[in-house]
Amino acid sequence: MNLFRSEEHARRWSGFKTEKAAGLLSFTDMVAIMSTPRHQERLNGHYVSSVATYAQQFFDRLREVTRNSPFWDPAPPQSGDARR
Protein backbone atom coordinates (compact mmCIF):
# COMPACT_ATOMS: atom_id res chain seq x y z
CA MET A 1 0.00 0.00 0.00
CA ASN A 2 1.25 3.46 -0.86
CA LEU A 3 -0.01 6.54 0.93
CA PHE A 4 -0.20 9.85 -0.92
CA ARG A 5 -1.19 13.39 0.08
CA SER A 6 -3.90 13.53 -2.55
CA GLU A 7 -5.30 11.79 -5.61
CA GLU A 8 -3.35 14.26 -7.76
CA HIS A 9 -0.15 13.29 -5.96
CA ALA A 10 -0.89 9.60 -6.59
CA ARG A 11 -1.60 10.24 -10.28
CA ARG A 12 1.73 12.08 -10.66
CA TRP A 13 3.64 9.14 -9.13
CA SER A 14 5.91 7.46 -11.71
CA GLY A 15 4.49 4.03 -10.81
CA PHE A 16 0.84 5.06 -11.28
CA LYS A 17 -1.17 2.88 -13.66
CA THR A 18 -4.43 4.29 -15.02
CA GLU A 19 -6.13 0.88 -14.89
CA LYS A 20 -5.59 0.84 -11.11
CA ALA A 21 -7.29 4.22 -10.49
CA ALA A 22 -10.28 2.44 -8.92
CA GLY A 23 -7.95 1.53 -6.06
CA LEU A 24 -7.58 5.13 -4.91
CA LEU A 25 -9.38 5.75 -1.62
CA SER A 26 -9.57 8.83 0.53
CA PHE A 27 -8.30 8.79 4.09
CA THR A 28 -11.92 9.01 5.26
CA ASP A 29 -12.78 5.88 3.22
CA MET A 30 -9.81 3.98 4.70
CA VAL A 31 -10.83 4.96 8.23
CA ALA A 32 -14.41 3.80 7.55
CA ILE A 33 -13.13 0.42 6.35
CA MET A 34 -10.79 -0.01 9.32
CA SER A 35 -13.44 1.09 11.83
CA THR A 36 -15.12 -2.28 11.89
CA PRO A 37 -14.83 -4.82 14.73
CA ARG A 38 -12.39 -6.82 12.58
CA HIS A 39 -9.79 -4.20 13.42
CA GLN A 40 -11.15 -2.68 16.63
CA GLU A 41 -11.59 -5.92 18.56
CA ARG A 42 -8.22 -7.59 17.99
CA LEU A 43 -7.31 -7.52 21.66
CA ASN A 44 -10.72 -8.82 22.70
CA GLY A 45 -10.48 -12.19 24.44
CA HIS A 46 -13.21 -13.55 22.13
CA TYR A 47 -11.76 -12.25 18.86
CA VAL A 48 -10.88 -15.64 17.33
CA SER A 49 -14.28 -17.17 18.08
CA SER A 50 -16.02 -14.07 16.66
CA VAL A 51 -13.81 -13.56 13.61
CA ALA A 52 -16.45 -14.85 11.16
CA THR A 53 -18.89 -12.18 12.31
CA TYR A 54 -16.20 -9.52 12.24
CA ALA A 55 -15.07 -10.54 8.77
CA GLN A 56 -18.58 -10.27 7.35
CA GLN A 57 -18.99 -6.76 8.79
CA PHE A 58 -15.61 -5.79 7.32
CA PHE A 59 -16.49 -7.10 3.85
CA ASP A 60 -19.89 -5.39 3.96
CA ARG A 61 -18.22 -2.08 4.85
CA LEU A 62 -15.55 -2.60 2.19
CA ARG A 63 -18.22 -3.11 -0.48
CA GLU A 64 -20.18 -0.10 0.80
CA VAL A 65 -17.22 2.29 0.84
CA THR A 66 -15.79 1.16 -2.51
CA ARG A 67 -19.25 1.07 -4.10
CA ASN A 68 -18.70 -2.63 -4.84
CA SER A 69 -15.76 -1.89 -7.13
CA PRO A 70 -14.28 -5.02 -8.72
CA PHE A 71 -10.84 -3.65 -7.80
CA TRP A 72 -11.65 -4.14 -4.11
CA ASP A 73 -13.44 -7.50 -4.50
CA PRO A 74 -12.29 -9.53 -1.48
CA ALA A 75 -12.79 -12.86 -3.29
CA PRO A 76 -9.42 -14.16 -4.44
CA PRO A 77 -9.06 -14.43 -8.21
CA GLN A 78 -9.40 -17.92 -9.63
CA SER A 79 -6.45 -19.43 -11.47
CA GLY A 80 -6.27 -17.94 -14.93
CA ASP A 81 -8.35 -14.92 -13.82
CA ALA A 82 -6.62 -11.78 -15.07
CA ARG A 83 -8.74 -9.29 -13.07
CA ARG A 84 -5.75 -8.10 -11.07
Side-chain angles (χ1 to χ4, degrees):
M1 173 187 343
N2 290 310
L3 299 176
F4 296 93
R5 291 185 305 264
S6 65
E7 183 175 335
E8 294 79 26
H9 183 227
R11 290 181 182 278
R12 285 194 309 266
W13 175 49
S14 63
F16 180 75
K17 296 179 181 163
T18 305
E19 64 272 12
K20 304 292 184 180
L24 295 173
L25 295 177
S26 69
F27 180 74
T28 304
D29 289 342
M30 289 187 285
V31 168
I33 292 168
M34 300 303 175
S35 295
T36 63
R38 181 179 185 206
H39 295 89
Q40 293 178 333
E41 299 295 327
R42 289 202 170 178
L43 298 177
N44 178 336
H46 302 286
Y47 181 80
V48 173
S49 61
S50 301
V51 76
T53 302
Y54 298 157
Q56 187 58 54
Q57 292 171 338
F58 169 76
F59 293 133
D60 290 345
R61 178 70 56 85
L62 179 66
R63 288 182 188 101
E64 174 190 331
V65 169
T66 64
R67 291 167 287 292
N68 210 24
S69 167
F71 183 89
W72 290 100
D73 184 356
Q78 302 299 315
S79 62
D81 187 352
R83 290 187 302 167
R84 297 187 182 137

